Amino acid sequence: MTDDLNRNRGEAGQEEAHWYVIHTYSGHENKVKDNMESMVKNQDLGDMIFDVQVPMEDYVEEKDGVKKLKERKMFPSYVLVKMIMNDKSWYVVRNTRGVTGFVGPGSKPIPLSDEEVKHLGVTKKEALSDTYAVGDRVKVLTGPFEDFVGIVKELDEENRKVKVTISMFGRDTLVELDVNQLTEA
């Protein structure tokens, strides 16, 4: 449906648009997304509301010694909307069934910063090779290796993972990290 929302519209409108966070009833995130996309299509609001996302993350679940890769909502009860904020778009989003309100003080929604949007992973993902190359120095942002600096040894485009050599206790250790855990050093 996201492709339907982005069809037949110029890039100029999207440059003015920002990502906003809306709060929903627990467990209604996907229903809100579907309802909002239907309203945008039915009311021809594609020039104001460009994208609706429920951020998901992968995790490994181990049950009876068997590991399975599963997916879960990153932020239960929240949905992200890329839109141009005006009275009409605010009204449509705010009055979508299942929406309890925008995140922000009072009735004034606060847009997410570009950095926040990047870390949430809701925008189209660029190729790892556009960001990192084998031999690059990177710094780990989160996890058990936080603040360590290492050297990129391998890129896994499909899984968006980077193998990095980190020096710990005088030894080089190869660790696999998610691309969102790294920044250029």
Side-chain angles (χ1 to χ4, degrees):
M1 182 65 178
T2 299
D3 292 336
D4 291 341
L5 289 177
N6 290 327
R7 214 175 272 141
N8 298 327
R9 105 174 37 107
E11 294 295 319
Q14 285 203 41
E15 290 175 12
E16 298 173 32
H18 297 284
W19 285 96
Y20 294 88
V21 181
I22 56 174
H23 189 265
T24 68
Y25 293 122
S26 181
H28 287 81
E29 301 87 355
N30 291 327
K31 288 179 190 172
V32 166
K33 179 182 188 291
D34 293 341
N35 288 342
M36 199 170 302
E37 288 174 343
S38 294
M39 288 174 57
V40 168
K41 189 174 183 180
N42 294 339
Q43 296 181 25
D44 195 28
L45 298 172
D47 59 339
M48 285 188 269
I49 301 173
F50 298 97
D51 200 357
V52 182
Q53 297 278 331
V54 178
M56 304 294 278
E57 66 182 347
D58 294 330
Y59 72 100
V60 177
E61 180 180 83
E62 188 171 344
K63 193 173 190 179
D64 299 328
V66 177
K67 292 182 180 180
K68 287 186 180 179
L69 185 63
K70 294 201 167 193
E71 197 173 53
R72 65 180 166 212
K73 294 175 183 80
M74 287 174 70
F75 308 106
S77 301
Y78 293 95
V79 175
L80 302 177
V81 181
K82 184 175 184 180
M83 61 190 276
I84 296 173
M85 184 60 68
N86 59 34
D87 290 343
K88 186 173 184 178
S89 62
W90 180 90
Y91 182 83
V92 167
V93 171
R94 183 63 186 88
N95 290 292
T96 300
R97 187 176 312 171
V99 172
T100 60
F102 281 92
V103 172
S107 63
K108 180 153 176 51
I110 303 293
L112 295 172
S113 70
D114 291 339
E115 189 69 20
E116 290 169 325
V117 171
K118 180 181 173 187
H119 285 291
L120 291 174
V122 294
T123 56
K124 292 211 185 318
K125 295 177 175 145
E126 58 189 52
L128 286 180
S129 56
D130 292 344
T131 308
Y132 302 111
V134 173
D136 283 355
R137 287 177 46 88
V138 292
K139 182 177 179 182
V140 182
L141 298 172
T142 61
F145 303 105
E146 186 174 348
D147 293 329
F148 278 81
V149 175
I151 306 293
V152 174
K153 292 295 179 187
E154 188 179 320
L155 302 172
D156 180 354
E157 294 279 355
E158 186 176 322
N159 296 313
R160 306 220 21 103
K161 302 280 184 186
V162 180
K163 288 189 179 176
V164 177
T165 301
I166 294 175
S167 182
M168 286 188 342
F169 309 117
R171 302 179 106 180
D172 285 345
T173 305
L174 187 65
V175 295
E176 185 177 70
L177 300 165
D178 189 84
V179 69
N180 293 334
Q181 291 180 276
L182 300 172
T183 188
E184 294 178 29

